[in-house]
Amino acid sequence: MRAPRLRVVITATAVAVAIGGSALAAPALTAAPAAAVTERIDGGSSPSAITGMWAWGNPIDPAVDARGEGLAQFEPQALADFAAAHHLRTVFLSVPWAADEGPFGAWLTEAIHALHAVGVTKVAALGGDPSWADDPSLAADWTAAALRAAPFDAIQFDVEPWVVSSDSELPAVVAKLQNLYDQARVAAGSTPVGADLPWWLAAKPQPDGGTAFDALLPHLKSVAIVAFSDHADGTDGIAALAQPAAAAAAAKRIPFTIGVETDTPEVAGGAAATFGDDSAALLESETAKVRTELSGLHGYGGVTVEHLLAWQNLLAR
């Protein structure tokens, strides 16, 4: 299952939209207080700032299982070869519903072992659907099945109910996500639970103080801060957009990465939100700037690319 992904268009126009419209508009940024900590967790051994990727898909033959997509790029050795070539340490690998049934368990287990063998230290089960916010037992069930299917290092949620929510509904949405993460943590046991969260949650005040991003952090062990833009600098660049959320995560000692997009402008929500119509060289140079700006924060873990297939298409051009 490919989860519906966040499509907040990060352009100068979007950043200029006032908070409080019918949609969850991208707010103007203000500086966020950062704790005086500088510890890094990204290791620094790779010349690239990119340390991880989202990987949506699977190699299972759809004739064998209706959930299969038949994608050769997701064969265990293919995943491992790509991760090794790009010195990745984190892979968010999509997991279908009821992964412990049918052929998925064998594939997922083999993929995890292959990725570990080439230096990937965190393979997380990736999944989510907006409906899970209304029924968090579904997230708990999916989590339990994923961990029965294969020995994942972590769970990574991509649940985006704000896509159909207004500003006034956001506090209720936050409460639903808190409950979802908590129920999933019970199902996960000792396996850590993380999530993909958009940068602008750090600019949305909560009724009881703090921001929506602040309210979700205590319920997670890590966070991928989604800051989709095709450049690092400026008020609408990746670094400025992500900085308040990154500083909040650092202050709470929550490890974080910065998420960037490589899919087509049509999928991403506009050319300014993705490197998909640019080049692999620009992706590398701009994410290196993000590392320069944010790597001094405690818990910085590098840049995560959305997503494997689109990134491969970009590299092939």
Side-chain angles (χ1 to χ4, degrees):
M1 177 184 69
R2 173 81 180 267
R5 300 202 325 263
L6 178 65
R7 292 298 165 213
V8 179
V9 180
I10 302 182
T11 64
T13 301
V15 174
V17 175
I19 300 174
S22 59
L24 289 182
L29 293 176
T30 57
V37 291
T38 58
E39 181 180 339
R40 291 178 58 173
I41 63 169
D42 74 340
S45 60
S46 169
S48 174
I50 298 169
T51 59
M53 67 178 176
W54 284 273
W56 298 95
N58 66 70
I60 305 301
D61 186 345
V64 174
D65 190 300
R67 299 167 294 174
E69 298 179 51
L71 297 169
Q73 299 95 321
F74 287 82
E75 292 289 353
Q77 193 57 53
L79 285 171
D81 289 346
F82 186 84
H86 294 277
H87 308 285
L88 302 183
R89 292 191 300 280
T90 300
V91 174
F92 300 143
L93 185 58
S94 65
V95 175
W97 184 259
D100 57 338
E101 300 175 7
F104 281 88
W107 162 61
L108 290 167
T109 298
E110 187 178 349
I112 291 168
H113 290 326
L115 288 165
H116 284 166
V118 297
V120 175
T121 57
K122 178 180 176 180
V123 184
L126 171 64
D129 187 274
S131 65
W132 294 4
D134 292 318
D135 187 354
S137 67
L138 296 175
D141 289 345
W142 171 84
T143 297
L147 293 175
R148 286 194 298 269
F152 284 101
D153 304 301
I155 299 293
Q156 186 74 11
F157 282 108
D158 187 286
V159 180
E160 303 167 17
W162 37 74
V163 173
V164 291
S165 303
S166 67
D167 269 3
S168 63
E169 296 170 309
L170 186 56
V173 167
V174 167
K176 289 179 180 180
L177 286 177
Q178 290 171 330
N179 189 22
L180 182 155
Y181 299 148
D182 288 347
Q183 290 200 32
R185 288 168 63 187
V186 172
S190 61
T191 304
V193 172
D196 307 338
L197 296 177
W199 62 271
W200 49 261
L201 287 178
K204 295 290 185 179
Q206 283 285 97
D208 297 330
T211 69
F213 192 85
D214 294 329
L216 293 172
L217 282 177
H219 303 265
L220 299 168
K221 292 297 185 181
S222 65
V223 61
I225 300 169
V226 178
F228 289 168
S229 178
D230 65 352
H231 54 280
D233 297 331
T235 58
D236 61 346
I238 300 163
L241 295 177
Q243 194 278 334
K252 295 292 186 182
R253 299 298 196 270
I254 302 294
F256 67 93
T257 62
I258 307 300
V260 299
E261 177 67 280
T262 60
D263 215 325
T264 65
E266 291 76 18
V267 172
T274 181
F275 291 95
D277 60 342
D278 298 309
S279 68
L282 187 67
L283 171 66
E284 291 289 347
S285 64
E286 294 303 297
T287 54
K289 295 176 184 177
V290 173
R291 177 175 57 192
T292 298
E293 291 296 321
L294 300 179
S295 64
L297 292 172
H298 177 99
Y300 172 80
V303 173
T304 305
V305 171
E306 171 76 338
H307 55 93
L308 171 61
L309 297 179
W311 188 12
Q312 289 177 330
N313 287 339
L314 184 64
L315 288 164
R317 289 212 301 269

